[in-house]
Each structure stands twice: as C-alpha cells, then as structure tokens.
C-alpha cells in the first residue's frame, strides 16, 4: 500500500507529471523517448525538490518495478528522475566517480552523502565536492533513508563487509570491481542482494562505455557486421608500479583482481554469450556461456613467498573453437591494448583498453571522448576517469526501470568472473581458502 | 692432402691472395675486418673466376674448418669469396630467395643452377633470373660438383627427401622452414648433416634480419638496455586465405608449420637462451633453455575431420617466471605483430613481425628497410622479400668460416622448435605418427 500526500493510491492508469499527462502503460523513460517530449522539457526547467518530496522516489520506483513484471494491482505515480547517491569511502576512485557524477545534470544525479572511516576525510571530501552530508562511518550511509544507492569505493578487502551491510539495510549498491576478494564472498553478496530484492552491480565501468556498446553491436551483427564471426579476443594489462597497493597482500593486492579482471570481462562479453533468440549480446536476451577450458599459469610476487599473483597468462576456450588470450603483469607495462578478431575484420581497443578514448575498427578510428565539454573539465586520478559518467547513467536507468541487476553485467556473470579469477590466481600459486 | 695447381700443400703460415699477404692465424673474414682492408678492396675489383678455379673453394673451406678446430697439420690456401648456389624448386619462395640473391654483389653470390621436377619450369625460372644451368630433377643439383650450397624451397612435404638426398651427397643445405614435417624427420636430417659434416640450416630468415640482430643486442643488454629484464613475448600470426596450400593436408598444410613457427622462434630467441659466460644471446656462447611448461589448445580445419591445425593458442613458460603467449590462426587476419616486454620498456615488432620494416623501441621507431636501393628493386611474392638478402649473407659467412651450423639458429634449436611444433599441433588434435 502506497500513500502520496496523505492519499492512498491503489491503481492509476494515467497521471500528471509537471503538467504532462502520462500513462502507466509506458515507463517514464519511454514517455521521454517516444511519446511525451514535453515531459523532457518540463524536467529540464524544473528543480525536482520544488515539486516532489524526496521520499517519493522509492514509491515511484516500485511502480516501474511492476511495469517490468506487471500485475493487475499496479500502482502508479509520478516518476522523479533524480538518483541520490551515497559514497562509501573518500578515496581516489570515489573522487573520480563523484567528479564524473557532477558533470551530469543535477536533475538526474545528486551526491547526497559521503562516509569514511575518518570523519575529517569525509568532511574534506564533502567540502571539495559540495556534498551536503559527511559521515564518519559507513554505517551512517546505510542508515540514511534518503539515499537511493551507495557507491562503494573502498579498498578491495573492505568490499565484502561494506556491501553486505548496505544490502542488509536494503540499500542498492554499485561496488567497484572486484565485487569481493574471492568466489565465496561474491556468492554471499549476490545471495544477499537477491534475498533483499535490491539492486547490486559490480562496477566494471567498461561495460557501460560507449565503445563497448559499439563492440557489442558489432559482434552481434555477425556476418553482416564489420568483424564477421568473432573467433578471438586478446587482451593484456600490465603496469610497473611496485609501490602501489596492488603489490600489498594486506591491502587486497592482486594482479588479477586489480587489472586482470578487465581482460576476463572483455573475453566474456565478446565470446561468452549466446544470443538465445537472435538478439544482441547486451545481456538482456542472451545466455551466459562459460569457457569450456581454462589453461593458465603464472607466479606470485617474489618479495614474499606468501605474496600476491604478480603475472598470469591465460587461455580461455569457448564453444565453437573460439579463444581468448589474457595476460596480466605487475612487473612491466604491457601494451594495455585489446584486439577482437573476426573472420572479416578486427577491432583494436587502444590503450587503456578498459576505458579507451579510441578504438580502430578495421582501418577506421572511432572516437569516444564525451562530446559534452563539461565532462572533460574534472580532475581525475585514473586515466580517462570521465567515462565513469556512463556507469552512473546506466545505473540510473536500471533504477528507473526497477531492475535488480544490470543487463550489461548480470550478477551471474559477476559470479563467473569471480570463479575465473580464482582459477587463474590458483594457477599462479595463490592459496585461496 | 691438398693439391693446388698440381703442387702439394702441407702447411702454410702465410699466403698471397689477390696480391695481399694473409696469415693462416686469422680467418679470411678476420683479415677483411681487422687487418687487411686492402684485401677487401682487391675483392671488390676482381671477378673471382679470373683468378681462381672454382674447385678451389672447397679446399679453402677445409682450411677454415681447421681454424675452428686447429691441428698441427693445418693446411692453408687462399679463400675465394663467392658462394655458388643451387636452387631446389622453381616455386614462389625460390623466386624470392633468388631475387634477393641477385641484389648482392656477384663476387659474393652466384646462382649457378636451378632444379625442378619439371624441366620446363626450371628453364623458365633460369631464363627469368639469368641462371646458367636448369635441371629437370633435384638429383641433378645434388650431383653438380660446382654447387657449394643448395637452397631448398619445395613444399613442406618434400623437404625431408630433398634435404636428405642433398646431405647424403655432402651438399651444404639451407631449407625453408619448417625443416621437415615432424620431429622424427627433423632428427634424421640433423643426424645426417652431422654425420656427413656438411652445413645445414633451417631457413628462418627472421633470425638473420637486422631488426632481430638489434633485438638480441637489446635483450642481452639486460638492465643496461632499453628493455631491462625481459619477462614476456607475445606474438600472433594469422591469415585468412582459405584457398591457400596452407589449408591442404596433402600439401603439408598447417597453421603451426607455416606461420606459427615464427612465433615459436621469436619466443626461443628472446626467452630461451641463457648466456653461459655473460655473452650475447647470439647463439655462439649461450645455452639453449627449453620452456619448462607448454600450455596449448587449438582445433583442426573443420572441412575435414582429419584436417590440419587451423587455430592454436599457446603459453610457454621459461625459467624465471617468463612467459610467451603465441597465437596462430588460419581463419582470420590477426595483427601479425609481436611485443617483447621488459621491466623497463618494450619492443613492438610491426606487421609482419617475422620480417618487419620497422620496430618501435619504447616510443622510438627504428627503420630496417635495406639502404641499398638495388635491394628494393626486385619483385617478390612474399611481403618484404628483400630481407632474404640477410639470410644469404649470413649463410655465406657461415660457409666462409667453415661452420656446420648457424650460430643464429643452431641445429639443436631447430630440433626444439620441431618438438614444440609437434606438442602444439597435438594439443590442437593433430595425430602425428
């Protein structure tokens, strides 16, 4: 049962939003895109808080959840567009995510709060980014009822506990990759999200990158596309920054967890999908196809016999004699490029392939730097940090559509990635309990 | 016992060649390089046949053999410089090799004869290239006593019998890669060459390419060089020419034998050497280090269940946590580049990496197109065919120095390559008896 402004709402067939008549038969975004351009204009000229109370968002989301799985007792109400983010951790990656969020319209994204283990860090971060609320613990973020979704940017070893507590508080979560330190932790988090019916996504931003959208489309076009039938993916990622946390086991260091995950996700996106009804490999209508064989070798950091996976080489075999060659190295800067090869052509993802400004399709260079000049103004810690905006936009669309997982990176795929990372790290000598 | 112009020669301490006094304590090339620059000038201005009888070459070679393993009964005589080539097969690759030979000084290389299974083919080839003798069989080449060395450019399946017969006739041989169809054949050929004390080399021209010479030097420089310690080699070679002989089992088709061999030899050259006395990995003073592990997978051509290896993916592990990722594919055009990665930098071998015009060392592009404008004038079937000149020059130096195998590609390494090719093809499903 939902009440709005004191009145009880059982079922609505149409309703008014910002003076525009909408119907429950279409989602809000469908109205925007297909029917009611006026609604879009109205949103642009409004400040959401003048019209709506913040708590309405959740009510509205429930309505659109029901649109995804409609029932006869559908309840509808107007649909605010603004997603209110809480940020867990005031570290480098959180800085980049928030910087990207601020380049998007305020009517779509607001960073409402940041929490850190240390209140001063949170306050400093909040001041820098103009964030309303600063908390001296992650717990305060989970407890803030006005936060719609939490972005978790802690170090890898903290992901599990932070995400678990957030999910238990029925918060939606995007957690930086890797979702957790191993397969077992990943399974527990996913089970918790499903039990609590909240949105959970591993924040592999590449999947939301427009170049990757182009690639999915080129791959799924098959013989009609620029690649023909895709038979290979080669990806390598290596850096040589020995003082980095990546080398430290106590900070969750690991070549595979930190950078090798990008190789794996690309291989799975391109070769690990079978379109079950002739559709694109966008996730929504395709089936996940795990590799049939994993050949892998590697080694641990030599400084410490109980170290982290330093270098790995992996071959994944997929049905239909398709292969992925994946390389990760913490000793040396590799080309950090990836190549997708088909019978008719190939795509080269330029450095850094997980977040490229350009790709080359056969001999044609395609640019993917955001057109919006605002997007390029922020100061980022990580290369091409502005591409975080696409992850934020995608997550927002998922929430607006009432989804509990991202079609671009479903939770079963996150599980498969976690399993492959464990296989590869074990082959390199890691003991994972 | 050696006779020259009717006179018996037992021992010489010094002798005169083209009016220049030489000593038996130094090889002819050492004279050229270090002591007697006049000799070089004299050679340039001479036509060897005006001064020497052709049969003298063999006598001279024996002398320099003895320099390699000196005895008290050393016999010395003057050293002619011209190598007289016989060509077995009038096919595409022979065309390229001969075209390259013709761009070198006639005082150094002469193509004396060509033999083919069909006399008309041999005659046509001889006419095209201005070759004195055309034979309607390979047997006639083996029997021609004036030929110093035979270049074997037949299809792969014929290598074994042609090379074996040539060696049995005590002919020196350079045979196009692969030396033979499998490890067993390769072992037999190498044993025969050693028994007959003749020169034998697998014609992997890359090894003689000046870019590869640069790479050996950069790798062996270690921490002082542009790469630091080399930890990885990635190489991929793929083409999509389905009508090619490479797809036909009866013609010796095989992805690995035809193109994958280039990946393997690069990996071994860079990672498969241990300098036993601090010397360069040029072969002469280094030890061959086989990979400690071979992980490989692949598939056969689907048209024929008893087909050829169509696609392979391989990881070779070398001591010291060094890895090579090697990829071969007959279904798709791969990048055909290779990358050598060290802790300080990397070398990218541009397409086609087995015979590149350019390599990039860190961010610096280095050109290797032959400076001699004559070298670029010929018409070649294979990309950058002019680089054959370096193979011919290297072989000549080996012969002049009385070597029985090339220090750039010793016979034990050819054996190791043959073994790895067999391992990789077996992993792809090939049955090799």
């Amino acid at each position: 049962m939902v009440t709005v402004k004191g009145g009880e709402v059982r079922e609505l067939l149409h309703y008014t939003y910002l003076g525009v008549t909408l119907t429950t038969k279409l989602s809000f975004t469908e109205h925007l895109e297909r029917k009611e351009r006026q609604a879009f204009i109205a949103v642009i000229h409004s400040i959401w808080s003048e019209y709506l109370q913040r708590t309405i968002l959740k009510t509205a989301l429930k309505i659109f959840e029901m649109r995804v799985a409609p029932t006869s007792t559908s309840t509808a109400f107007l649909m605010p567009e603004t997603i209110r983010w809480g940020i867990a951790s005031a570290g480098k990656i959180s800085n980049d995510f928030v910087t990207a969020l601020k380049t998007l319209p305020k009517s779509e994204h607001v960073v409402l709060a940041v929490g850190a283990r240390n209140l001063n860090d949170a306050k400093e971060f909040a001041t820098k980014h103009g964030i309303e609320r600063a908390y001296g613990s992650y717990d305060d973020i989970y407890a803030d009822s006005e936060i719609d979704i939490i972005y978790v940017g802690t170090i890898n070893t903290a992901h599990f506990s932070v995400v678990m507590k957030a999910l238990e508080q029925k918060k939606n979560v995007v957690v930086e990759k890797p979702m957790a330190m191993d397969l077992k932790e990943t399974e527990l988090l996913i089970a918790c999200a499903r039990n609590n019916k909240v949105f959970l996504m591993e924040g592999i931003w590449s999947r939301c990158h427009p170049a990757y959208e182009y690639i999915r489309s080129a791959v799924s076009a098959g013989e009609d596309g620029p690649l023909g039938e895709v038979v290979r993916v080669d990806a390598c990622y290596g850096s040589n920054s020995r003082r980095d946390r990546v080398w430290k086991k106590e900070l969750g260091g690991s070549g595979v967890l930190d950078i090798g995950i990008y190789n794996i996700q690309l291989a799975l996106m391109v070769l690990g999908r079978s379109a079950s009804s002739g559709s694109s490999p966008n996730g929504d209508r395709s089936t996940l196809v795990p590799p049939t064989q994993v050949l892998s070798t590697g080694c641990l950091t030599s400084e410490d016999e109980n170290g982290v996976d330093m270098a790995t080489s992996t071959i994944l075999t997929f049905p239909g004699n398709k292969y992925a060659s994946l390389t990760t190295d913490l000793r040396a800067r590799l080309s950090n490029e990836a190549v997708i090869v088909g019978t008719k052509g190939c795509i080269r993802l330029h450095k850094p392939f997980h977040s490229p400004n350009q790709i080359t399709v056969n001999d044609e260079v395609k640019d993917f730097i955001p057109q919006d000049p605002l997007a390029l103004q922020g100061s980022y810690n990580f290369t091409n940090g502005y591409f975080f905006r696409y992850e934020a936009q995608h997550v927002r669309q998922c929430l607006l559509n009432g989804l509990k997982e991202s079609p671009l990176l479903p939770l079963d795929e996150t599980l498969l990635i976690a399993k492959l990372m464990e296989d590869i790290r074990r082959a390199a000598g890691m003991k994972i309990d």
Side-chain angles (χ1 to χ4, degrees), chain A residues 17-18 20 22 28 31-32 36-44:
Chain A
Y17 175 51
L18 303 177
V20 178
L22 307 177
F28 185 77
H31 276 101
L32 288 188
E36 305 285 351
R37 299 298 298 170
Q38 312 152 52
F40 184 69
I41 295 157
V43 169
I44 294 293

Side-chain angles (χ1 to χ4, degrees), chain A residues 98-116:
Chain A
V98 168
T99 303
L101 276 177
K102 291 191 299 179
T103 70
L104 295 170
K106 282 194 170 42
S107 59
E108 297 181 358
H109 297 274
V110 166
V111 183
L112 199 64
V114 57

Side-chain angles (χ1 to χ4, degrees), chain A residues 317-329:
Chain A
T317 304
F318 292 89
N321 298 323
K322 299 173 179 187
Y323 307 97
S325 291
L326 312 179
T327 304
T328 304
D329 212 307

